[in-house]
Amino acid sequence: MTATPTPRVTIKDVAARAGVSKGAVSLAFNHKPGLSEATRDRIFRAARELGWAPNLTARTLAGSRVDVVGLAICRPARLLGLEPFYMEFISGVESVLTEHSCSLLLRLVRTVEEEVGLQEAWWRGRQIGGSILVDFRADDPRVAMAERLGMPVVAVGHPSLTGGLTSVWTDDATAVTEAVRYLAALGHRRVARVGGAAGFGHTAIRTAAFDEAARGLELAGALQVATDFSGEAGARATRSLLTAAPPDRPTAIVYDNDIMAVAGLSVAAEMGLRVPEDVSLLAWDDSQLCRLTHPTLSAMSHDVHGFGAEVARTLFGVIMGDGAGSHPVPTPVLTPRGSTAPPR
Amino acid sequence: MTATPTPRVTIKDVAARAGVSKGAVSLAFNHKPGLSEATRDRIFRAARELGWAPNLTARTLAGSRVDVVGLAICRPARLLGLEPFYMEFISGVESVLTEHSCSLLLRLVRTVEEEVGLQEAWWRGRQIGGSILVDFRADDPRVAMAERLGMPVVAVGHPSLTGGLTSVWTDDATAVTEAVRYLAALGHRRVARVGGAAGFGHTAIRTAAFDEAARGLELAGALQVATDFSGEAGARATRSLLTAAPPDRPTAIVYDNDIMAVAGLSVAAEMGLRVPEDVSLLAWDDSQLCRLTHPTLSAMSHDVHGFGAEVARTLFGVIMGDGAGSHPVPTPVLTPRGSTAPPR
């Protein structure tokens, strides 16, 4: 860190040299409409000649930067690219940020401790006006971090995991229960779930809800398998479930995302099992993939893009201090397509 | 833009108050290892008490910020979430940025003109140390922009499109030619291509290469269709191609990405055509999707994650001024799987 002296030039000097108002300089540097190309050029030239750059606090509202928000994701880079959920979520976040001329500062981290250090550095360094926190675990250190820093955040996770932070969540327990009830109503008694990574809070919520629903419906053959959310892991889990001989073989499988369900469909075909005659498959999240397979995949349909957009809108509310409250987004709804039917 | 006065406090004052060296303050604010939790707390407390925040120029090397790089993508938010390419590309970029404790400033833009304004504001405002420029078109205004600003960039695109900028690209023409030759060698004479969006430079390169290869091999029935890269558009294009009666119906189809090929597989099944007996399908990019379908999809296999990583490495080279040169990444290679065979 070099102790570069801050130039003594101010925005007023730049405005004077360019022959415009301070407001026009602000417009140019904040990348807002309303200036001709020639005026913008003149302003940037004046700033360059004077060696002036806008103070970070310049792009702030009541002391908080509002043109950049942070998002750290704790996943191996390889897996991030393979799972449709995050890209749909980020595209939803971006759809709202773009309306506000706001950018997303994105970083992959290896541990939640690394994220705590990073968020603190971003916030202390005034690089962001707030952050979106995802993938909550039990006793998550980010709750205390956000409170200690007084940093505007939105926690994406169930309030049981996110302490007193403003949170936006999906009611996973209700959705899992509906999925199990639907399969039981079709007549399935041996139902399996290919779940996500065991460390995540939402996975634990789904696991508990699945167990409870299966107990309530007296499904003797309920089974759950944990994966890392990847298609390969979904294929392995499906293969292992379907190699059991009837009557131990599940007649219906619920997946925690859609890429694993696509993989499951392929494993069934490779094993000579027909979907849905021999085994019913039910996907989760329901990206376009579910409508592109043959048969099309029944799914617990979740508007992940809309979820991301709602999270971004809520974060702007928190940054503006308008008392945006915690709230769930619409619960995933059952969308039956071609991959589920009564067991033979 | 308020003219908030810059605090006169320096890093030296913060170090003195916390009882540490200036280097320790730098470590804390740059989020580097080597300090105890207690020391970090003391430094951040001292900075807060003195109202000090690091000058942006502090996190720079030879005047250029190196902890944030920019990426603007000109696609509708909805489409971004649906196409595996960008998520794999971004995951590759992030895999290298993470090694350098560097974040990605991500923004969706509506037009290339909006991107030019944004990149200039990011650069002038010292928010980034450089940018990755993607989706080049003919006469792209970003070439002049980067040269005018003297901004470190890496252009992702063929040198015929990226002017004098340092660029990293895929040799699309060679790969398309190989794809067409392979299908012709299997005996196909009626080969179609379901291509990407017509405005992109790499689409134009592929279109020209397909035409030339088909002419060279005297394939009378070569046909091309433009899409927006989405699965739905790929399904529509496939349906339209396959409704022609033989012998006009293509016996082989090449796709510009893999999600469209997955959609094509499903359309063939819905129309009662067997793959590869009735029609051969060849995907592009080859994300895990191609190995999760049944039959598995033959593809022009392209390591998109590795492509993103190489682009990020090259950008660091440009920022450091080490004369990183333009270069192609490995050309996509033919990976035959279950979806291609000789025509009946």
Side-chain angles (χ1 to χ4, degrees):
Chain A
M1 189 177 273
T2 56
T4 311
T6 308
R8 310 302 314 272
V9 177
T10 70
I11 186 171
K12 214 170 135 185
D13 303 316
V14 176
R17 185 171 190 117
V20 297
S21 66
K22 285 196 296 181
V25 179
S26 171
L27 286 178
F29 274 92
N30 286 299
H31 178 235
K32 298 273 157 119
L35 297 175
S36 71
E37 189 61 31
T39 306
R40 289 176 65 253
D41 274 355
R42 208 160 67 240
I43 291 166
F44 286 130
R45 198 166 53 241
R48 190 169 57 235
E49 286 162 3
L50 294 168
W52 182 86
N55 190 308
L56 258 193
T57 53
R59 267 189 303 265
T60 64
L61 182 83
S64 291
R65 172 157 211 154
V66 290
D67 66 340
V68 179
V69 305
L71 173 64
I73 300 179
C74 186
R75 296 271 170 108
R78 261 294 170 196
L79 277 188
L80 182 70
L82 300 182
E83 230 232 309
F85 178 88
Y86 268 113
M87 201 64 203
E88 290 232 30
F89 182 81
I90 290 172
S91 76
V93 168
E94 287 280 355
S95 71
V96 171
L97 296 192
T98 299
E99 289 166 15
H100 290 76
S101 299
C102 185
S103 306
L104 184 70
L105 193 58
L106 181 68
R107 177 81 149 268
L108 299 189
V109 291
R110 290 178 194 89
T111 64
V112 70
E113 289 72 31
E114 186 182 345
E115 178 175 348
V116 167
L118 175 69
Q119 296 280 3
E120 177 155 1
W122 276 351
W123 174 247
R124 302 279 197 192
R126 302 202 188 167
Q127 285 183 266
I128 57 171
S131 259
I132 295 166
L133 308 179
V134 297
D135 285 338
F136 271 77
R137 295 157 184 269
D139 301 314
D140 201 291
R142 291 172 296 176
V143 175
M145 170 204 80
E147 285 167 356
R148 180 167 53 88
L149 296 174
M151 173 181 171
V153 299
V154 169
V156 178
H158 192 267
S160 64
L161 299 162
T162 59
L165 304 179
T166 298
S167 67
V168 178
W169 73 92
T170 311
D171 185 352
D172 283 309
T174 299
V176 165
T177 304
E178 182 174 346
V180 175
R181 280 198 187 139
Y182 163 65
L183 294 170
L186 288 177
H188 293 280
R189 309 299 300 163
R190 299 199 67 81
V191 176
R193 171 172 162 263
V194 174
F200 293 121
H202 72 271
T203 300
I205 288 172
R206 291 185 194 181
T207 302
F210 184 89
D211 268 343
E212 197 181 313
R215 248 199 325 274
L217 294 161
E218 295 177 359
L219 303 182
L223 255 177
Q224 302 194 66
V225 189
T227 69
D228 61 4
F229 289 112
S230 72
E232 266 88 1
R236 271 196 306 276
T238 306
R239 215 171 274 121
S240 136
L241 288 166
L242 295 182
T243 45
D248 287 340
R249 195 171 72 201
T251 61
I253 307 179
V254 189
Y255 293 85
D256 258 23
N257 67 9
D258 51 13
I259 192 93
M260 293 197 294
V262 171
L265 199 56
S266 167
V267 166
E270 138 208 330
M271 294 176 73
L273 296 172
R274 286 168 305 156
V275 176
E277 292 84 351
D278 299 319
V279 60
S280 285
L281 304 183
L282 183 58
W284 203 277
D285 285 346
D286 198 19
S287 74
Q288 66 170 351
L289 273 180
C290 296
R291 299 182 296 281
L292 297 179
T293 56
H294 188 83
T296 52
L297 281 165
S298 302
M300 294 305 294
S301 188
H302 184 200
D303 178 6
V304 177
H305 182 92
F307 186 22
E310 182 55 26
V311 167
R313 273 190 292 269
T314 305
L315 179 58
F316 278 113
V318 172
I319 292 173
M320 301 305 184
D322 71 357
S326 296
H327 59 280
V329 291
T331 303
V333 294
L334 178 68
T335 305
R337 295 198 188 92
S339 67
T340 45
R344 276 188 309 177
Chain B
M1 189 176 273
T2 55
T4 312
T6 308
R8 311 302 314 274
V9 176
T10 70
I11 187 172
K12 217 171 133 184
D13 304 315
V14 176
R17 185 171 189 116
V20 298
S21 67
K22 287 196 296 182
V25 178
S26 170
L27 286 179
F29 274 91
N30 286 299
H31 178 237
K32 297 274 157 123
L35 298 174
S36 72
E37 190 60 31
T39 306
R40 288 176 64 253
D41 274 355
R42 209 159 67 241
I43 291 167
F44 286 131
R45 199 165 51 239
R48 191 170 55 235
E49 286 161 4
L50 292 169
W52 182 85
N55 191 307
L56 259 193
T57 54
R59 267 189 304 265
T60 65
L61 182 84
S64 291
R65 171 157 213 157
V66 291
D67 66 342
V68 179
V69 305
L71 172 63
I73 301 180
C74 185
R75 295 271 171 109
R78 261 293 169 197
L79 277 187
L80 182 70
L82 301 181
E83 230 230 309
F85 177 89
Y86 268 112
M87 201 64 204
E88 291 232 30
F89 181 82
I90 290 172
S91 76
V93 168
E94 287 280 356
S95 72
V96 170
L97 296 192
T98 298
E99 289 167 16
H100 290 76
S101 298
C102 185
S103 306
L104 184 70
L105 193 58
L106 180 68
R107 176 82 149 268
L108 298 189
V109 292
R110 290 178 195 88
T111 64
V112 70
E113 290 71 30
E114 185 183 346
E115 178 175 350
V116 166
L118 174 70
Q119 296 279 3
E120 177 155 3
W122 277 351
W123 175 247
R124 301 280 196 192
R126 301 200 190 168
Q127 286 183 266
I128 55 172
S131 259
I132 295 167
L133 308 179
V134 297
D135 285 336
F136 271 78
R137 295 161 183 266
D139 300 315
D140 202 291
R142 293 171 295 176
V143 175
M145 171 204 79
E147 284 168 355
R148 180 167 53 89
L149 296 173
M151 173 181 172
V153 300
V154 169
V156 178
H158 191 267
S160 64
L161 299 163
T162 60
L165 304 180
T166 297
S167 67
V168 178
W169 72 92
T170 311
D171 184 351
D172 282 308
T174 300
V176 165
T177 304
E178 183 175 344
V180 176
R181 280 197 187 139
Y182 163 65
L183 294 169
L186 287 177
H188 294 279
R189 309 299 298 163
R190 299 199 67 81
V191 176
R193 170 173 163 264
V194 174
F200 294 122
H202 71 272
T203 299
I205 289 171
R206 290 186 194 180
T207 301
F210 184 90
D211 268 341
E212 196 180 314
R215 249 199 325 274
L217 294 160
E218 295 176 1
L219 303 181
L223 256 178
Q224 303 193 66
V225 189
T227 69
D228 61 4
F229 288 114
S230 72
E232 266 87 0
R236 271 196 305 277
T238 306
R239 214 170 275 122
S240 135
L241 288 167
L242 294 182
T243 44
D248 286 340
R249 194 170 74 203
T251 60
I253 307 178
V254 188
Y255 294 85
D256 258 24
N257 67 9
D258 50 15
I259 191 94
M260 294 197 293
V262 171
L265 200 56
S266 168
V267 166
E270 137 209 330
M271 295 177 70
L273 296 171
R274 287 166 305 157
V275 176
E277 292 83 351
D278 299 318
V279 60
S280 285
L281 305 183
L282 184 58
W284 204 277
D285 285 347
D286 199 17
S287 74
Q288 67 170 350
L289 273 179
C290 297
R291 300 181 297 281
L292 297 179
T293 56
H294 187 83
T296 52
L297 281 165
S298 302
M300 294 305 294
S301 187
H302 183 202
D303 178 5
V304 176
H305 182 92
F307 187 23
E310 182 56 25
V311 167
R313 273 190 292 269
T314 305
L315 179 57
F316 279 113
V318 173
I319 292 173
M320 302 305 185
D322 70 356
S326 296
H327 59 281
V329 291
T331 303
V333 294
L334 178 69
T335 306
R337 295 198 187 92
S339 67
T340 45
R344 277 188 309 177

